[in-house]
């Protein structure tokens, strides 16, 4: 059968996952954000989540904007909330209530979700209270214009950066979810490698193979996937470009395959990105891959909270240089991951907070006789060092 012809459910499989995300954990998260609000002297928050980024509203409500492809506004007061306003059709709200941890406010028509959310924020902030904004600077113009109009005359401050920092430290609940997602990403990668190695019909081209892995992972309860397959050394093999699709290559014996498998489970992402060969590796190829793996062994002791991503990259390059390896410069050495695959810290100047999870990608070109090799890992950063999840 052709797995590329199977209809892909954009909504994925949505569940509440109470064993991983108990209501008590959401209460604690709201408390963390309220502490941030008091530090910034704001009495209410308006948090915008689009159909691309999951984190802002999902952190407080368990509502998966990214998986559903919906926009939402989450409103939080110092003593009340959160209140969730979405573009979800009214007919879907009973189902949405099953996997969110707060009631969804009925908005009719859906285009009023910003106006209603802003009205609630003004109510919670009181007559002269300041209102904090999260994520609104990245809104489409028509949405940001609606926020400006509905909050006109009120004291407004953008606290996006402060919010992102406060939630980048992963609590035990998030770490359990990331662990579950990582387990499924590993299963997806192993499935992909096994099918390719055995020359199964489904592995006749990378598109078909990626579709099959997506099918397997969604049956395992994954809400979404991100799969990239390419042949090392081909013009399209730029592993830093995670477009979410394979490059269409046909796989042949002797090829070195680069595979990036991301799995979203319980609102969190897990990623496995490695290379494997269709057939036995040469001694030089084994030596090159072993060098990258030894770098993975050493790196955690060099990374700790308080470092910027630029310092993490320099630390990785320094360790690599000692073993005679040069890392590819156009592949980010580290970036934040959790609710999203591009969350804080993401810029080189961003600082790593304690209990932040980083996706570390180590990629190097070893010349024509070997080609490009890579490995990856998800690193939990502590006060003094890090550890692989």
């Amino acid at each position: 059968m052709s797995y590329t012809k199977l209809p892909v459910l954009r909504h994925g499989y949505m569940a509440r996952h109470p064993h991983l995300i108990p209501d008590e954990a959401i209460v604690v998260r709201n408390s963390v954000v309220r502490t941030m609000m008091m530090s910034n002297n704001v009495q209410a928050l308006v948090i915008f989540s689009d159909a691309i980024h999951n984190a802002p509203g999902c952190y407080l409500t368990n509502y998966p904007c990214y998986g559903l492809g919906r926009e939402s506004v989450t409103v939080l007061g110092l003593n009340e909330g959160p209140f969730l306003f979405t573009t979800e059709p009214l007919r879907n709200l009973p189902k949405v209530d099953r996997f969110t941890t707060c009631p969804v406010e009925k908005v009719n028509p859906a285009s009023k979700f910003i106006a209603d959310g802003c009205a609630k924020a003004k109510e919670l902030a009181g007559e002269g209270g300041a209102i904090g904004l999260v994520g609104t600077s990245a809104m489409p113009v028509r949405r940001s214009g609606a926020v400006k109009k509905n909050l006109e005359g009120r004291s407004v401050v953008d606290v996006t950066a402060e919010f992102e920092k406060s939630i980048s430290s992963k609590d035990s609940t998030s770490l359990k979810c990331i662990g579950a997602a990582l387990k499924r990403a590993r299963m997806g990668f192993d499935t992909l490698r096994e099918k390719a190695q055995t020359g199964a019909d489904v592995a006749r081209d990378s598109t078909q193979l990626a579709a099959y892995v997506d099918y397997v992972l969604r049956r395992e309860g994954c809400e979404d996937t991100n799969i990239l397959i390419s042949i090392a050394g081909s013009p399209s093999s730029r592993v830093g470009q995670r477009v979410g699709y394979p490059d269409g290559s046909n796989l042949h014996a002797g090829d070195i395959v680069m595979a990036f498998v991301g799995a979203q489970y319980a609102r969190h992402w897990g990623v496995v990105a490695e290379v494997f060969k269709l057939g036995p590796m040469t001694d030089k190829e084994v030596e090159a891959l072993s060098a990258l793996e030894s770098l993975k062994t050493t790196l955690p002791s060099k990374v700790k909270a308080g470092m910027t991503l630029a310092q993490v990259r320099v630390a990785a390059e320094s360790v690599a240089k000692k073993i005679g390896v040069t890392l590819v410069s156009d592949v980010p050495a580290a970036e934040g991951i959790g609710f999203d695959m591009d969350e804080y810290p993401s810029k080189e100047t961003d600082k790593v907070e304690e209990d932040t999870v980083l996706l570390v990608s180590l990629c190097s070109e070893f010349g024509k006789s070997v080609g490009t090799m890579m490995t990856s890992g998800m690193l939990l950063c502590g006060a003094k060092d890090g550890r692989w999840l």
Side-chain angles (χ1 to χ4, degrees):
M1 66 181 290
S2 174
Y3 287 91
T4 58
K5 294 182 180 180
L6 283 177
V8 175
L9 297 177
R10 186 63 191 84
H11 291 212
Y13 175 70
M14 293 299 164
R16 191 161 185 168
H17 300 291
H19 62 296
L20 292 174
I21 314 172
D23 290 356
E24 295 78 11
I26 303 294
V27 171
V28 172
R29 289 177 179 176
N30 279 272
S31 177
V32 168
V33 174
R34 286 189 170 109
T35 299
M36 181 277 294
M37 291 169 62
M38 289 186 283
S39 298
N40 289 274
N41 196 30
V42 297
Q43 282 65 53
L45 277 186
V46 175
I47 303 167
F48 177 73
S49 290
D50 57 22
I52 299 174
H53 298 96
N54 196 37
C58 186
Y59 179 81
L60 297 177
T61 65
N62 208 32
Y63 178 72
C65 299
Y66 178 71
L68 293 175
R70 310 289 188 198
E71 297 172 300
S72 77
V73 163
T74 304
V75 178
L76 183 68
L78 288 175
N79 300 304
E80 297 181 68
F83 300 92
L84 179 61
F85 301 82
T86 83
T87 56
E88 197 76 40
L90 290 177
R91 65 180 181 275
N92 289 351
L93 294 189
K95 295 179 180 178
V96 174
D97 276 335
R98 296 177 187 173
F99 53 75
T100 55
T101 53
C102 69
V104 184
E105 301 296 314
K106 291 181 173 60
V107 178
N108 194 18
S111 59
K112 286 182 57 191
F113 80 110
I114 288 179
D116 288 0
C118 289
K120 190 65 176 181
K122 290 191 286 187
E123 175 193 327
L124 295 177
E127 189 67 29
I131 297 173
L133 302 180
V134 174
T136 55
S137 60
M139 278 181 162
V141 174
R142 74 184 190 282
R143 298 303 195 199
S144 59
V147 172
K148 184 177 181 180
K149 176 182 177 182
N150 284 281
L151 295 180
E152 189 174 3
R154 299 303 300 260
S155 176
V156 175
V157 56
D158 192 307
V159 293
T160 300
E162 291 79 1
F163 181 89
E164 289 178 342
K165 288 181 182 178
S166 68
I167 74 170
S168 66
S169 294
K170 299 298 181 285
D171 53 34
S172 59
T173 293
S174 279
L175 290 177
K176 288 178 183 177
C177 294
I178 290 173
L182 184 56
K183 178 180 178 181
R184 285 158 177 79
R186 170 53 66 184
M187 185 191 74
F189 181 89
D190 289 344
T191 299
L192 185 156
R193 178 171 54 187
E194 178 186 352
K195 290 294 181 183
Q197 290 280 23
T198 57
D201 287 344
V202 73
R204 59 184 176 270
D205 66 74
S206 58
T207 304
Q208 186 72 214
L209 182 57
Y212 174 74
V213 174
D214 175 85
Y215 166 75
V216 169
L217 290 179
R218 288 179 186 274
R219 288 192 62 180
E220 286 294 315
C222 289
E223 299 154 2
D224 200 4
T225 66
N226 191 315
I227 301 166
L228 173 63
I229 306 171
S230 60
I231 307 302
S234 70
S236 61
S237 69
R238 283 270 62 93
V239 293
Q241 304 295 320
R242 292 203 308 271
V243 296
Y245 296 95
D247 69 357
S249 300
N250 291 319
L251 307 183
H252 302 95
D255 285 339
I256 293 181
V257 180
M258 284 185 170
F260 177 101
V261 178
Q264 188 187 45
Y265 184 81
R267 318 296 188 266
H268 293 71
W269 283 95
V271 167
V272 173
E274 296 176 7
V275 299
F276 60 89
K277 188 172 183 178
L278 301 182
M281 282 190 168
T282 66
D283 291 342
K284 287 186 176 181
E285 289 166 346
V286 171
E287 182 181 349
L289 192 54
S290 296
L292 285 182
E293 290 296 336
S294 68
L295 175 54
K296 273 183 69 175
T297 302
T298 308
L299 187 60
S301 64
K302 307 296 183 182
V303 178
K304 62 182 179 179
M307 297 174 69
T308 64
L309 284 190
Q311 290 172 323
V312 174
R313 174 180 53 78
V314 169
E317 290 173 345
S318 176
V319 175
K321 188 176 181 180
K322 290 179 180 178
I323 59 174
V325 173
T326 301
L327 297 180
V328 173
S329 60
D330 61 348
V331 177
E335 50 196 334
I337 188 171
F339 287 95
D340 298 302
M341 282 199 290
D342 58 348
E343 65 181 38
Y344 183 94
S346 58
K347 301 190 293 291
E348 289 225 317
T349 53
D350 289 345
K351 284 191 174 182
V352 177
E353 304 293 318
E354 189 171 355
D355 293 328
T356 292
V357 176
L358 298 177
L359 173 59
V360 177
S361 301
L362 305 172
C363 179
S364 182
E365 294 173 353
F366 289 89
K368 290 183 178 180
S369 62
V370 174
T372 305
M373 291 287 178
M374 74 165 296
T375 187
S376 73
M378 295 177 65
L379 188 68
L380 176 63
C381 300
K384 296 182 179 180
D385 56 16
R387 68 174 177 87
W388 297 113
L389 295 178

